[in-house]
């Protein structure tokens, strides 16, 4: 189906990608699934029970798990819980989505190709040109779910095929190739970044893009 536009966002359900302001935005697979369900059913409200069953089939999870996904999705699309524009809470029932552009509205996919990636466990996450926050915050470009990771732990700044890594005053620090960083440090293809026990390999476009890109 064609991409769906709302505000400054474009949701491409076929490619499982979310763009905001023309830049790709990272969402965990389950947060993307939540957004997909609500956008596809718009403007119908979906109950918490149905969302639980569709996102975690056959698994018991608390409402807190669903609330965290909603928080992550809102942060990704620039929405706010108190004054939601798109993802609204239906009191004592569930959630609904509104504010999507009319059917048939032309939506162009962003044309810019990524030039830098972070690779973790064989999967590559494209980095946007400009600032990419790594941390525990659901709205971070790269979300690492661990108490050893600060909410805004480090920043990778990309400019074309060049990039730097900078620790943002985190408690446990940021390591580059085993050395603790003290300020913005240039990255080269193959560098290893360690944050809270997570080892992320930096890749820059040379002749080809890394394999197994993570588009979720």
């Amino acid at each position: 189906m064609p991409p769906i536009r709302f505000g400054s966002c474009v949701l491409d359900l076929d490619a499982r990608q979310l763009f905001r302001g023309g830049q790709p935005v990272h969402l965990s697979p389950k947060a993307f699934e939540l957004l997909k369900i609500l956008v596809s059913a718009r403007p119908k409200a979906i109950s918490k029970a149905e969302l639980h069953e569709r996102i975690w089939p056959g698994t018991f999870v608390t409402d807190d798990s669903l609330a965290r996904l909603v928080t992550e999705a809102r942060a990704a699309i620039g929405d706010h819980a108190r004054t939601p524009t798109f993802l609204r809470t239906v009191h004592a029932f569930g959630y609904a989505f509104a504010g999507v552009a009319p059917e048939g509205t032309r939506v162009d996919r962003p044309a810019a190709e990524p030039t830098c990636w972070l690779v973790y466990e064989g999967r590559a996450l494209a980095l946007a040109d400009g600032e990419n926050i790594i941390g525990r915050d659901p709205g971070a470009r790269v979300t690492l779910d661990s108490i050893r990771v600060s909410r805004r732990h480090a920043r990778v700044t990309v400019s074309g095929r060049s990039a730097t890594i900078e620790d943002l005053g985190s408690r446990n620090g940021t390591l580059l190739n085993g050395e603790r960083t003290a300020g913005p440090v240039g990255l080269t293809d193959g560098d290893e970044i360690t944050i809270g026990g997570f080892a992320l390999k930096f890749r820059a476009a040379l002749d080809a893009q890394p394999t197994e890109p993570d588009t979720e």
Side-chain angles (χ1 to χ4, degrees), residues 17 28-30 56 59 70 76-77 82 94 98 106 110-111 120 123 126 129 140 148 150 162 176 181 195 199:
Q17 284 187 299
S28 67
K30 291 194 181 301
W56 296 278
T59 303
V70 171
I77 64 177
R82 296 196 177 195
R106 177 180 173 83
Y120 177 66
R123 305 188 72 185
D129 201 60
R148 297 174 61 190
S150 299
S162 301
L176 177 61
T181 60
I195 292 177

Side-chain angles (χ1 to χ4, degrees), residues 134-152:
I134 305 172
R136 202 174 70 251
D137 193 316
R141 175 70 183 142
V142 181
T143 304
L144 302 176
D145 189 12
S146 170
I147 59 173
R148 297 174 61 190
V149 178
S150 299
R151 292 186 66 81
R152 289 171 58 87

